[in-house]
Amino acid sequence: MSAVRRAVEFLVTRVLRSRFGVAIGIAVLVFGIIGAARLVSGPGDPTSGLSNRPSRPITTVDPTAGDDGAFSTGAPPSPVTRPGELTPEQTAERFVAAWLGKPGTTAEKWQEGLRPLSTPVLTDKLAGVDPSGVPTGQVDGDVTLQPRAENFVEVLVPLDTGRLRLELVAPDGRWLVDAVDWEQR
């Protein structure tokens, strides 16, 4: 009896009070809780879980709707301009001239020159911008027009310090600059 008593005493005073004993106790507790939960919940459904795949492909587009690809194989449509309005090229050239401005131009004068050639969204984004802080330079080559749709074109303007990229939109046939991006050389 004394051997059993010494074994229990050793277990309680030495092993269970050590880090190893605490880790063993926590592991027994966790496995006990998991086992009890499985007994209470009953047998699981073998068809549920992350390993199951749908029986049919998941479609987000009607397969009979035609080509849903992002790239068209045909030539892009020509930009459409309302009679009497500026073409995309003319709008871009005038916008770039206003963007580059003249030395000493005030912020109000600079924005006043851009406003008739910009969408309201771009005008709001440029509110409060100081023209001395925008990238400038001299036009250094031909303006490149890349039509994306009848009412959306991208214009690339090479400058001696980089490239100005303009996005022009014409929802009603009047071309306006909607976005400006700068790529430095």
Side-chain angles (χ1 to χ4, degrees):
M1 191 85 138
S2 67
V4 174
R5 183 175 176 189
R6 265 191 263 152
V8 171
E9 187 177 298
F10 176 75
L11 183 68
V12 171
T13 59
R14 306 260 175 145
V15 175
L16 293 180
R17 287 189 177 187
S18 69
R19 289 181 187 162
F20 179 72
V22 171
I24 296 275
I26 291 173
V28 167
L29 181 68
V30 167
F31 286 122
I33 291 172
I34 291 172
R38 286 194 171 194
L39 285 174
V40 171
S41 68
D45 183 9
T47 61
S48 68
L50 296 176
S51 63
N52 292 333
R53 296 192 174 124
S55 59
R56 297 181 309 142
I58 299 172
T59 59
T60 57
V61 177
D62 181 13
T64 61
D67 182 18
D68 64 340
F71 300 105
S72 88
T73 56
S78 297
V80 176
T81 304
R82 190 168 58 191
E85 295 291 342
L86 298 174
T87 64
E89 296 91 346
Q90 294 169 329
T91 302
E93 288 171 0
R94 289 187 184 179
F95 184 88
V96 169
W99 179 267
L100 297 176
K102 296 178 177 75
T105 302
T106 64
E108 292 81 22
K109 275 285 207 205
W110 181 71
Q111 290 173 359
E112 189 177 302
L114 297 175
R115 190 173 294 115
L117 303 167
S118 307
T119 61
V121 172
L122 182 60
T123 301
D124 289 344
K125 287 181 183 177
L126 294 176
V129 173
D130 183 13
S132 64
V134 298
T136 62
Q138 299 297 321
V139 176
D140 188 30
D142 295 331
V143 173
T144 306
L145 183 76
Q146 298 175 340
R148 303 291 186 210
E150 289 181 349
N151 58 357
F152 176 66
V153 296
E154 184 177 3
V155 179
L156 302 172
V157 183
L159 301 176
D160 57 355
T161 56
R163 185 167 70 168
L164 196 61
R165 187 179 68 80
L166 308 174
E167 291 181 3
L168 280 75
V169 295
D172 60 352
R174 181 171 177 254
W175 290 97
L176 298 171
V177 178
D178 189 49
V180 180
D181 192 19
W182 172 254
E183 297 172 7
Q184 190 173 357
R185 278 193 189 168

